[in-house]
């Protein structure tokens, strides 16, 4: 299974959206160089308030570009970086990957998938009603989170739009993604 990077984004300040960049540099064990969420321990404000010593399982946020077309059909305009992601992808079912999947991006970078992004009310502050588009229920009534996945950096390197992404699944049994 493979896909590609369509955009990369980072921000050194806390804000909901992240500006697009020509490239980002991933740092092993830390995250995106210069991004406010980079670090060994949690950086998300609510998680820091709970326990600032917890490991940072949210170093790099990825969203599938296909989500933008889906929410667009419901009248929302979302482009890369709008939902705070670092890497926008195309061609990979990110939400269907199991915990521990490796994403080999470009020539050097390797991410390990840790879980689902837990969307928050800031999404509705960005565009009213958008939260209901990225959190819903399936036919069985189970909650479905569509706002992307989180990962940690196993091997650093530059990541640019157009880079290929190779998916390496972990050994079985596969563990489904949960919120991190």
């Amino acid at each position: 299974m493979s896909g590609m990077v369509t955009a990369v984004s980072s921000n050194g300040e806390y804000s909901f959206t992240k500006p697009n960049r020509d490239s980002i540099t991933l740092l092993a064990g830390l995250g995106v160089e210069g991004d406010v969420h980079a670090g060994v321990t949690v950086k998300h404000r609510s998680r820091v308030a709970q326990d600032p010593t917890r490991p940072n399982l949210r170093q790099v946020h990825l969203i599938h570009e296909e989500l933008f077309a889906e929410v667009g059909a419901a009248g929302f305009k979302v482009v890369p970086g709008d939902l705070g992601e670092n890497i926008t992808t195309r061609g990979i079912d990110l939400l269907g990957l199991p915990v521990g999947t490796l994403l080999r991006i470009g020539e050097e970078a390797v991410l390990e998938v840790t879980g689902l992004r837990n969307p928050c009310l800031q999404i509705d502050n960005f565009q009213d009603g958008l939260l209901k588009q990225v959190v819903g229920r399936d036919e069985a009534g189970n909650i479905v989170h569509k706002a992307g996945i989180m990962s940690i950096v196993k091997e650093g390197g530059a990541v640019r739009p157009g880079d290929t992404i190779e998916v390496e699944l972990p050994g079985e049994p596969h563990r489904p993604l949960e919120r991190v």
Side-chain angles (χ1 to χ4, degrees), residues 2 5 7 12 16 21 26 33 38-39 56 58 65 67 77 93 96 105 117-118 136 141 143 146 155-156 159 169 174:
S2 66
V5 174
F16 184 71
R21 310 285 183 195
L26 302 182
E33 182 177 46
N56 187 3
R58 301 166 54 99
E65 183 180 72
L67 177 65
K77 182 174 179 358
D93 177 13
I105 305 175
R117 175 191 184 185
N118 187 25
I143 294 175
K146 300 179 190 177
E155 295 179 29
V159 176
L169 296 175
H174 291 162

Side-chain angles (χ1 to χ4, degrees), residues 5-17:
V5 174
T6 60
V8 295
S9 310
S10 67
N11 198 339
E13 299 176 12
Y14 280 105
S15 72
F16 184 71
T17 61

Side-chain angles (χ1 to χ4, degrees), residues 111-130:
L111 298 176
E112 180 179 334
V113 176
T114 57
L116 295 168
R117 175 191 184 185
N118 187 25
C120 64
L121 290 175
Q122 289 185 32
I123 291 177
D124 270 349
N125 293 338
F126 174 67
Q127 288 185 42
D128 189 40
L130 184 57

